[in-house]
Amino acid sequence: MRREKHVFLAAVAAAALTLPALALAQDGSGYFGLSIGPSKAKHWCGSDLPSGAALAACDPRGKGWKMFAGYRVYRVLAFEASFIDFDKASLTATSASGTETTTVSARATALSAAAVATIPLWDLELFGKVGIAKVKAQSHEASLAGTTFKLGKNDNEAHVGLGLAYRLTREWDVRAELERIRDSRIDFFSLGIQYRY
């Protein structure tokens, strides 16, 4: 995994070095937008509980939102940054004896940087992205059977996505996208608007 991260960072650095040449060759354009939709943190229900605790119930679903901004250096290539709030996920753990229970919840967020490849199809655009996201999810301290613990993570992970954008006017698009944070297995389907400038 570490080697894959180094290869990806080298590819991003190489792309960044070619950015000025691409910008001179083509008129660049920027865009930004906002979208909302359902999220599902599948890994959350498999979180490592302390010894002597068992999973009693889990709800990995949430209602997320994101802000994003990008710069298209060529008609089929852009670089994009985004902040995603995946909402809260919660689980209930029980002690081995079954006499005690506790509920733990955490809000997951991510800061992402990605390369976006686009295939224009008249007023539609099909796009895919690949990048790295800084994922942060940390619960408050919980206590069960005399043991205090926290659940969550703070790590860099692969971020991929696939979506469609439909051009409403010269400046405005409607955008639908399905994204995944790989290791945390967070899925996010969003629908929103995008403004080009």
Side-chain angles (χ1 to χ4, degrees), residues 41-56:
K42 296 178 182 178
H43 181 73
W44 177 250
C45 293
S47 293
D48 294 329
L49 293 168
S51 59
L55 183 67

Side-chain angles (χ1 to χ4, degrees), residues 34-35 65-68 83-84 129 175 177 179 188:
L34 179 68
S35 58
W65 63 273
K66 77 169 182 175
M67 298 183 297
F68 58 91
F83 170 78
I84 310 173
K129 70 166 60 168
R175 171 167 154 158
E177 187 174 5
E179 300 170 83
F188 180 45

Side-chain angles (χ1 to χ4, degrees), residues 72-85:
R72 186 170 292 195
V73 295
Y74 192 66
R75 192 178 182 196
V76 296
L77 177 65
F79 292 96
E80 185 175 294
S82 59
F83 170 78
I84 310 173
D85 186 329

Side-chain angles (χ1 to χ4, degrees), residues 19 23 26-31 69-73 77-80 197:
L19 183 62
Q26 296 288 330
D27 291 331
S29 61
Y31 62 91
Y71 188 78
R72 186 170 292 195
V73 295
L77 177 65
F79 292 96
E80 185 175 294
Y197 60 90

Side-chain angles (χ1 to χ4, degrees), residues 40-44 135 153 157 181-187:
K40 191 172 184 181
K42 296 178 182 178
H43 181 73
W44 177 250
V135 180
K153 66 188 312 179
E157 301 185 31
I181 304 296
R182 185 177 174 184
D183 293 344
S184 294
R185 297 176 63 209
I186 300 175
D187 292 330

